[in-house]
Amino acid sequence: MTDTKTKIAAGLEQAFAARGFAEPSVEDLRDAAGVSLRTLYKYTPSRADMVLAALEHRHERYLSHLFNDLPKAQEAVLDVLFERVGAWMATETSHGCLFHGAVAADPGSEGLRALLARHKAEVARRAAAATGLAGREIDLLLILEGLTQAWSLHRDTAVTSAKRLGHGLRMNSAA
């Protein structure tokens, strides 16, 4: 990504995360991106392109947040992943998954549905590989998604519960 494209995507991501997908005007999005309207439209010619750019940026940041510098011991990785999801929720969004929010705002968008599916599949695949739980991607995804949705109500207790479920999954997989 070029510096300008990254700057635009980062600003759009923050605007949509803070205000949802319907509320910000194009002028608000331009201001959030920190570029002229002409430059905004050069890189993202439509509102749909703006949403996709924001979510692609979010996808990369989320993967980095979760999976960079994980412990070497696979047994420790589960707890770290769940703690990182809790930290993400505390600092990035306390009201659920931005990808699901985008699809809810535009349920007919095949592009958004495809991005949501790709994002969740990659998170699940990488979590399974990092934890040594290959073949349990859907189980891990359900725990991660449950944590994301429950965090706004239960915060640290949700993280603790996710850890307990993860340990149960590991024990069940070893048997």
Side-chain angles (χ1 to χ4, degrees), residues 1-10 52-54 56-57 60:
M1 239 187 226
T2 66
D3 289 343
T4 301
K5 193 171 184 176
T6 300
K7 176 184 175 182
I8 290 169
L52 288 171
E56 286 288 354
H57 188 263
E60 293 303 323

Side-chain angles (χ1 to χ4, degrees), residues 38-55:
R38 181 178 176 167
T39 300
L40 178 63
Y41 278 122
K42 175 183 174 186
Y43 287 92
T44 54
S46 68
R47 189 176 190 94
D49 290 322
M50 292 175 198
V51 172
L52 288 171
L55 292 175

Side-chain angles (χ1 to χ4, degrees), residues 10 16 21 34 44 88 124 129-130 166:
F16 290 130
F21 294 96
T44 54
W88 178 271

